[in-house]
Amino acid sequence: MSFAPGLLAPLALASLGPSLAQAHDASAPRARLVVVISVDQLVPESLDRLAPWLSGGLGRFVHEGRVFARAALLHGDTETGPGHAAIGTGRLPRNNGVISNDWFARDKPASVYCFADAQSFEVTDSGVQSSTASSPRQLRCDGMADYLEAAVPGALTVAISSKDRSAIGMSGRRADLALWWDKQRGGFRSSTWYGTELPAWVREHNASWQERLPFAAGWKGELPEDFARSGTAPDEREGEAGRPGQRAFPHAVPPRGSALDSKGLATLAQWAYEGPASDVMVCELAREALVRLALGGDDATDLLCVSLSACDVVGHAYGPLSVEVADVLLRADRELGALFALLDERVGKGRWVAALSADHGVLELPETLAAQGYPARRITGREIADTLKDARNAISARFGADFFLSGNYRGLRLDARALAERKVDAREVREAYASELRRFGAGWMEHALTWDELRAIARDGAPASNGLVAMEANSFDEERTSDVVTLQKRYALAGLIHGTTHGTPHDYDRRIPLAFLGVGVVKGRDYRAASSIDALPTLFTLAGLPVPSDLDGRALALD
Ligand SMILES: [Zn+2]
């Protein structure tokens, strides 16, 4: 179903028929609504640590759901785009094509955003804009919305996040509606991929975003009185982003009001994106969608995907053990609690099923880890630049040119045209580069792998030398993978002078929560292997829907 008469049908010519071969119990009552919650950068340790204080939506997963306590990603490039696409498609990046947030372009020194689309345009309150917008055009397979719409005529499929890549990745190719936060103007926007105008209820909701924006007096930590025993870190720590003195509660808020010019509006909209206000706004809109679209209102099962991004943005600045992340999660718990209460009221208790997961983990602040005795440190930009420069010089000395197109601490792309002009074997140059990178980057690099090695593992079943290499191969794509893929050592953080990040196949970046709620789910902790690619088949089974037969994930037993 489409919301706007001018809905484009960009995929109408493609062959997208999903295979729905796996048998399901046709006699089981179908759930009316499938709900997928992702909390960006949420690590399972945070849920465990905060469990005594979780009484809302996260609390329902923890206390009433089936929790897969050892869940971990199985792919190497642990970023937001791939993480949400893994949830949304039930497939590994090597099969869904979303290998990272950005990859190196093949023909010029530039990068390509995973959901960039030159043929889609922004849709805001005032209609179609001239600026291009994200879409799932580069996604190589179907996702939840596609499977649901194929199985259930009349199904409505909606995805909401403050990040475009989260809303798009979770839902698939043909969701009826995907909405994300507008960091320039505030409110939620979309892409012509989904339709040429925003539904009236979204425009109405957007009209009052400033009035509804919380934290008018600044973002204060509102942690429970007995919270000291949670094991959360002190408010101000070495390595946090921001100037000393501005890294602790309360965090200031920019001015708001009708008198703001476009610059002031952008500052406020960006601030809203960067803190817990974004989760409040996303959950409010999800509740509005539930009511306005009557999601789960009949037996045609609908889909609601919600991704909360504040944990990620705040986690990058202050680390996963911070009081800021704890405060974000306690608020997310309340917001999701309100959403679930509304689901019980409007869809009906036992008539909806839900999964909770995340797109990736994160490294704790290196300074905190180093103080605890871990070999954690920040790799300097100089170290990385020197490694690349020395490797390029060595290649030039051997081949007469360095064939370098793009590169950073995660790998490099060769200039295919220059290789062809000089009639040099690309495979030989890739191997030479990997060898030189390992030599010159020995102080910070775990491995340097060639496109050819990863292709052999991903496509021909060649054995991987270790688990990290296997994960890298699960992120392989013929067109998108770099010529050489590099990885920093465990606990070594690259690319940031403060704060922290994720993106590696190391264990801390791959750990994720995975939990399910619904009728028939036996509550408790489950220590069997599980991953976010299992969310789709598990939820569909739980909902009484046919499960696509060719997924990488599998339906987890919940009874
Ligand atoms: Zn993320």
Side-chain angles (χ1 to χ4, degrees), residues 40-41 78-81 84 101 163 165-166 312 316 359-361 502:
D40 203 308
Q41 203 189 105
T78 48
E79 292 186 306
T80 302
H84 283 89
N101 280 351
K163 291 185 184 177
R165 56 189 173 275
S166 307
D312 180 75
H316 274 296
D359 50 349
H360 50 73
H502 50 85

Side-chain angles (χ1 to χ4, degrees), residues 4 69 85 100 151 204 267 279 288 297 303 319 349 399 445 465 491:
S100 48
E204 271 171 44
T267 302
D279 288 354
E288 189 77 12
L303 173 68
K349 284 184 181 166
F399 294 94
M445 202 178 287
S465 54
Y491 299 122

Side-chain angles (χ1 to χ4, degrees), residues 321-535:
L321 262 180
S322 63
V323 286
E324 283 88 351
V325 164
D327 190 71
V328 161
L329 293 175
L330 294 176
R331 292 175 192 279
D333 180 51
R334 288 204 289 276
E335 290 297 323
L336 291 171
L339 175 65
F340 289 0
L342 196 63
L343 286 168
D344 280 340
E345 182 191 317
R346 297 191 71 99
V347 181
K349 284 184 181 166
R351 305 301 302 268
W352 53 279
V353 299
L356 168 71
S357 196
D359 50 349
H360 50 73
V362 66
L363 182 68
E364 186 44 76
L365 292 174
E367 291 78 4
T368 296
L369 288 171
Q372 293 169 349
Y374 291 92
R377 72 178 185 100
R378 294 179 189 272
I379 303 166
T380 65
R382 169 56 67 86
E383 281 177 274
I384 294 160
D386 283 351
T387 300
L388 281 172
K389 187 181 76 190
D390 292 344
R392 290 175 66 174
N393 286 340
I395 297 298
S396 283
R398 178 169 160 192
F399 294 94
D402 70 3
F403 308 108
F404 181 90
L405 190 64
S406 308
N408 58 27
Y409 64 91
R410 305 175 68 169
L412 58 87
R413 172 71 87 185
L414 301 181
D415 185 341
R417 204 175 306 151
L419 286 163
E421 276 167 13
R422 285 185 171 253
K423 298 190 171 54
V424 177
D425 179 21
R427 184 182 187 121
E428 196 183 332
V429 178
R430 287 196 280 264
E431 279 171 10
Y433 252 120
S435 167
E436 299 298 349
L437 287 166
R438 282 193 293 266
R439 178 157 72 107
F440 291 112
W444 62 271
M445 202 178 287
E446 174 74 29
H447 63 221
L449 304 165
T450 65
W451 180 96
D452 313 87
E453 294 174 80
L454 293 170
R455 191 198 165 283
I457 299 164
R459 303 297 185 222
D460 302 334
S465 54
N466 62 51
L468 292 173
V469 176
M471 301 298 158
E472 301 273 27
N474 280 339
S475 288
F476 176 82
D477 182 276
E478 278 78 354
E479 276 180 41
R480 298 167 183 176
T481 290
S482 304
D483 287 277
V484 181
V485 171
T486 52
L487 171 68
Q488 64 265 40
K489 289 181 194 290
R490 195 161 180 242
Y491 299 122
L493 188 76
L496 289 175
I497 56 168
H498 48 53
T500 186
T501 193
H502 50 85
T504 79
H506 291 303
D507 51 356
Y508 42 81
D509 283 348
R510 291 193 299 109
R511 69 214 155 124
I512 46 165
L514 184 65
F516 297 90
L517 278 177
V519 170
V521 175
V522 175
K523 72 174 182 182
R525 289 169 78 82
D526 195 316
Y527 294 93
R528 288 175 291 180
S531 187
S532 57
I533 52 173
D534 302 327

Side-chain angles (χ1 to χ4, degrees), residues 189-392:
R189 66 182 174 185
S190 190
S191 157
T192 49
W193 180 275
Y194 300 98
T196 52
E197 56 183 32
L198 294 179
W201 61 269
V202 178
R203 296 200 305 271
E204 271 171 44
H205 196 78
N206 281 343
S208 58
W209 76 267
Q210 272 209 58
E211 294 89 271
R212 288 182 290 98
L213 192 65
F215 312 118
W219 173 26
K220 298 173 189 138
E222 288 172 11
L223 298 165
E225 270 181 23
D226 60 344
F227 194 69
R229 68 183 171 91
S230 70
T232 297
D235 195 350
E236 186 143 0
R237 287 187 290 166
E238 193 189 349
E240 290 186 342
R243 293 197 194 95
Q246 295 176 5
R247 304 191 294 208
F249 283 126
H251 295 282
V253 56
R256 58 181 77 186
S258 55
L260 287 182
D261 60 10
S262 60
K263 195 174 162 210
L265 205 59
T267 302
L268 186 64
Q270 178 70 30
W271 174 87
Y273 170 82
E274 288 174 351
S278 76
D279 288 354
V280 174
M281 303 302 264
V282 165
C283 286
E284 268 186 6
L285 191 67
R287 296 193 292 267
E288 189 77 12
L290 191 73
V291 173
R292 296 299 196 103
L293 299 174
L295 295 176
D298 57 28
D299 289 332
T301 310
D302 298 324
L303 173 68
L304 176 62
C305 299
V306 175
S307 178
L308 303 183
S309 312
C311 178
D312 180 75
V313 187
V314 173
H316 274 296
Y318 305 107
L321 262 180
S322 63
V323 286
E324 283 88 351
V325 164
D327 190 71
V328 161
L329 293 175
L330 294 176
R331 292 175 192 279
D333 180 51
R334 288 204 289 276
E335 290 297 323
L336 291 171
L339 175 65
F340 289 0
L342 196 63
L343 286 168
D344 280 340
E345 182 191 317
R346 297 191 71 99
V347 181
K349 284 184 181 166
R351 305 301 302 268
W352 53 279
V353 299
L356 168 71
S357 196
D359 50 349
H360 50 73
V362 66
L363 182 68
E364 186 44 76
L365 292 174
E367 291 78 4
T368 296
L369 288 171
Q372 293 169 349
Y374 291 92
R377 72 178 185 100
R378 294 179 189 272
I379 303 166
T380 65
R382 169 56 67 86
E383 281 177 274
I384 294 160
D386 283 351
T387 300
L388 281 172
K389 187 181 76 190
D390 292 344
R392 290 175 66 174

